[in-house]
């Protein structure tokens, strides 16, 4: 991978999965479940960036996780979350949800509302394994404010940009930028909704909105250690 220059993954290049008869459609940016590409397993600690579409009443039954940081960003609709530590939450657009699986946790995610639900779910591998699970929802994350994942040495930011406005992206060993809506120009490339850029050893980069845009950006400073 070229250092300092973005590698672009277009929306249509993502793997389409899910369970359409059950009202679930998923677009995977990395190898996931039955889809495996040995050259696209992870980027730094980021191992999943799934765009989920859930019809009203659809959802994922209770299932386990361990040693994973699960961060969710709702694009439209409302996500109902329940987990084995007793947390029950409704997550809405603008909120950041984090579930740190630690040594083990079980959870349920569903669309309990009457409108379609669309959200991004991102998985990061922590720098150290084990520990107690933990959960948090931050309501209304402000533009440019870093949301830190201390277990993964990573931070998430969101920018909502009007046409012609821009944002200076953080320098980081691994930088991942995903366009949620609208269009931005980054290092001479135009990225539209669903497109993402991966940058190794990112220096000074600026994203400029071609159309009003919402941009999620991960800055990541450490790879996970296995074994």
């Amino acid at each position: 991978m070229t250092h300092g220059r973005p590698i672009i993954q277009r929306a249509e290049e993502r793997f389409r999965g899910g369970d359409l008869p059950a009202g679930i459609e998923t677009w995977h940016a990395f190898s996931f479940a039955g889809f495996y590409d040995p050259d696209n397993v992870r980027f730094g600690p980021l191992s999943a960036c799934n765009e989920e579409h859930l019809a009203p009443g659809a959802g994922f039954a209770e299932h386990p996780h361990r040693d994973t940081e699960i961060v969710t960003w709702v694009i439209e609709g409302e996500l109902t979350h329940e987990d084995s530590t007793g947390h029950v939450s409704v997550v809405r657009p603008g909120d950041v949800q984090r579930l740190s699986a630690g040594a083990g946790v079980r959870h349920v995610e569903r669309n309990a509302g009457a409108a379609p639900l669309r959200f991004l779910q991102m998985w990061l591998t922590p720098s150290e394994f084990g520990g107690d699970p933990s959960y948090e929802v931050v309501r209304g994350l402000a533009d440019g404010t870093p949301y830190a994942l201390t277990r993964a040495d990573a931070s998430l930011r969101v920018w909502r940009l009007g046409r012609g406005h821009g944002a200076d992206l953080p320098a980081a060993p691994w930088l991942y930028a995903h366009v949620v809506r609208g269009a931005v120009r980054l290092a001479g490339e135009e990225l539209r909704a669903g497109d993402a850029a991966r940058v190794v050893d990112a220096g000074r980069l600026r994203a400029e909105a071609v159309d009003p845009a919402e941009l999620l950006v991960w800055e990541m400073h450490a790879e996970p250690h296995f074994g």
Side-chain angles (χ1 to χ4, degrees), residues 35-57:
F35 169 67
Y36 177 68
D37 176 355
D39 295 323
N40 188 28
V41 175
R42 64 183 175 88
F43 179 67
L46 185 65
S47 62
C49 181
N50 301 335
E51 183 173 324
E52 305 283 2
H53 297 226
L54 301 187

Side-chain angles (χ1 to χ4, degrees), residues 9-213:
Q9 182 186 48
R10 300 296 179 185
E12 61 271 16
E13 295 173 333
R14 295 177 298 171
F15 171 68
R16 186 185 183 193
D19 184 350
L20 293 180
I24 301 171
E25 184 176 18
T26 308
W27 295 92
H28 302 289
F30 296 90
S31 296
F32 198 91
F35 169 67
Y36 177 68
D37 176 355
D39 295 323
N40 188 28
V41 175
R42 64 183 175 88
F43 179 67
L46 185 65
S47 62
C49 181
N50 301 335
E51 183 173 324
E52 305 283 2
H53 297 226
L54 301 187
F60 300 98
E62 185 177 79
H63 57 282
H65 290 280
R66 65 173 299 154
D67 297 321
T68 307
E69 301 293 295
I70 303 170
V71 178
T72 304
W73 179 263
V74 174
I75 302 169
E76 59 184 17
E78 296 183 344
L79 172 68
T80 297
H81 164 95
E82 301 176 36
D83 66 49
S84 55
T85 64
H87 295 102
V88 179
S89 297
V90 176
V91 188
R92 301 177 177 86
D95 300 339
V96 169
Q97 174 183 257
R98 174 190 54 81
L99 176 62
S100 296
V105 71
R106 303 181 68 85
H107 74 148
V108 177
E109 296 166 310
R110 67 182 189 278
N111 181 4
L117 167 64
R118 185 160 63 104
F119 63 94
L120 278 178
Q121 189 164 95
M122 298 154 285
W123 296 7
L124 292 90
T125 304
S127 299
E128 297 183 5
F129 292 169
D132 294 331
S134 63
Y135 178 79
E136 177 179 51
V137 178
V138 174
R139 305 291 184 185
L141 186 67
D143 276 25
T145 301
Y147 177 74
L149 259 64
T150 55
R151 290 188 181 186
D153 199 4
S155 294
L156 177 69
R157 288 176 171 86
V158 62
W159 280 278
R160 305 162 186 91
L161 302 170
R163 184 181 288 108
H165 291 260
D168 293 317
L169 306 188
W174 296 274
L175 185 80
Y176 187 87
H178 180 98
V179 181
V180 176
R181 65 182 94 239
V184 302
R185 189 174 303 281
L186 180 66
E189 294 277 357
E190 185 173 310
L191 281 69
R192 295 199 162 269
D195 294 347
R198 308 176 191 190
V199 190
V200 174
D201 293 334
R204 294 177 59 86
L205 288 173
R206 184 169 176 82
E208 300 277 355
V210 178
D211 293 323

